[in-house]
Amino acid sequence: MTTIADRARELTVSREPFVHATVVRAQEPTSAQPGDAAVILSDGSIEGFVGGVCAESSVRAAALDTLRDGNTLLLRVLPDGTATFPETPGARVVVNPCHSGGAIEIFLRPVLPAPVLGLAGSTPISAAVATLAAFLDFEVSVSGDYAGATAVVVAGLGKGEQDAIRAALDAGVGFVALVASRKRGAVLLDELKLTNAERARIHSPAGVDIGARSPQEIALSIMAEVVRAIRVDGLAPSPSAPAARPQQAVDPVCGMTVLVGPETPHARVDERDLWFCCAGCLASFTAA
């Protein structure tokens, strides 16, 4: 039997983003118990158990938000009429009118794939970059296929540089670091006849100026620039057919935000599509 922990490991190995949800507190009569867990995928599907259908709907919606910003979140799901906790940084409160009672606190931890660093060249500098990047938890790729890469370092020192730069730009990579002197780099880039937008994505000479001399020091300066681009400038991976974000709707009965999918209760009224968190809300709407 595959456990949630096993499934989380499988998703991590396959580089599929997901959210690990764990119930950390539960108050009767809720059906969830502390320690119950689930994984939520980028399409909004959920595997595991962290509460009934109403709580699950709130968890799925909040989980997709954490996948977008990468921040952990403590989600408090309260029944209607309960004095709510104040919302604080890192926590969110939702009140579910259709909740069966009790309160649940669920910790949502987004697990995103390690950033991919494309590397071109077989030189002491490229070897040092590969070692340091792996230490920094980057996934290093030397395949020449840069789709999905966050950054590419071209350290061929005269060999295959133009082809690598062109491939990285065509793959949509937003940060291309060229290891070359200022003069040689300018000549090489002029020969490529780049657009202004393409030229802006290339960093040459590569690295932060720290007076680096050895391959290891040069690698440090390059990776410092890459990390700064990610953490400070918001550098994102190149496009690689991300999963479409599921449509969201507001349940007209209880006011909950629900994710629209094949199994979401649905009604069509006056040529409008209405979506409900559960069959109970749909039945109440139909009766009214």
Side-chain angles (χ1 to χ4, degrees), residues 175 177 203 205-208 220-230 233:
F175 189 103
H203 298 254
V208 176
L220 174 62
S221 73
I222 293 170
M223 291 309 301
E225 189 176 23
V226 171
V227 171
R228 183 178 64 187
I230 295 172
D233 301 332

Side-chain angles (χ1 to χ4, degrees), residues 3-287:
T3 66
I4 291 300
D6 292 334
R7 182 64 173 132
R9 282 190 288 270
E10 290 175 359
L11 293 168
T12 301
V13 170
S14 64
R15 295 185 53 78
E16 184 171 351
F18 68 97
V19 175
H20 194 285
T22 305
V23 177
V24 294
R25 189 168 70 167
Q27 174 184 306
E28 294 184 350
T30 181
S31 55
Q33 299 294 325
D36 286 344
V39 293
I40 300 93
L41 307 185
S42 58
D43 63 357
S45 60
I46 186 168
E47 302 175 21
F49 181 79
V50 287
V53 63
C54 290
E56 180 181 291
S57 183
S58 296
V59 169
R60 293 167 64 205
L64 291 183
D65 289 338
T66 69
L67 277 182
R68 187 173 64 251
D69 61 27
N71 296 324
T72 58
L73 179 71
L74 180 64
L75 180 69
R76 293 180 172 124
V77 183
L78 307 178
D80 194 17
T82 302
T84 63
F85 292 97
E87 292 205 29
T88 58
R92 179 186 301 180
V93 176
V94 294
V95 176
N96 288 348
C98 61
H99 197 36
S100 60
I104 315 172
E105 289 188 348
I106 303 161
F107 183 68
L108 302 175
R109 179 174 64 90
V111 181
L112 304 174
V116 174
L117 182 79
L119 187 57
S122 298
T123 63
I125 293 175
S126 64
V129 168
T131 299
L132 182 56
F135 175 75
L136 295 173
D137 292 330
F138 283 77
E139 180 173 320
V140 179
S141 173
V142 296
S143 67
D145 180 1
Y146 303 127
T150 300
V152 170
V153 176
V154 180
L157 299 183
K159 297 181 180 179
E161 294 169 313
Q162 292 187 342
D163 289 343
I165 292 171
R166 186 70 265 166
L169 292 174
D170 290 345
V173 177
F175 189 103
V176 181
L178 172 61
V179 180
S181 67
R182 190 176 303 278
K183 181 177 180 179
R184 190 176 73 82
V187 171
L188 186 151
L189 296 179
D190 285 344
E191 292 175 352
L192 280 171
K193 300 186 184 303
L194 304 171
T195 66
N196 290 337
E198 290 175 332
R199 182 64 183 83
R201 289 152 59 191
I202 300 174
H203 298 254
S204 178
V208 176
D209 186 3
I210 57 173
R213 294 184 178 180
S214 69
Q216 292 79 8
E217 291 173 347
I218 294 171
L220 174 62
S221 73
I222 293 170
M223 291 309 301
E225 189 176 23
V226 171
V227 171
R228 183 178 64 187
I230 295 172
R231 300 300 187 195
V232 178
D233 301 332
L235 176 67
S238 62
S240 55
R245 182 174 174 83
Q247 176 188 348
Q248 295 188 359
V250 176
D251 185 321
V253 175
C254 68
M256 282 180 53
T257 298
V258 298
L259 299 183
V260 175
E263 298 179 359
T264 307
H266 166 258
R268 187 167 179 81
V269 179
D270 297 331
E271 299 185 354
R272 289 191 306 129
D273 289 310
L274 302 176
W275 306 91
F276 303 85
C277 70
C278 62
C281 278
L282 173 58
S284 297
F285 179 83
T286 303

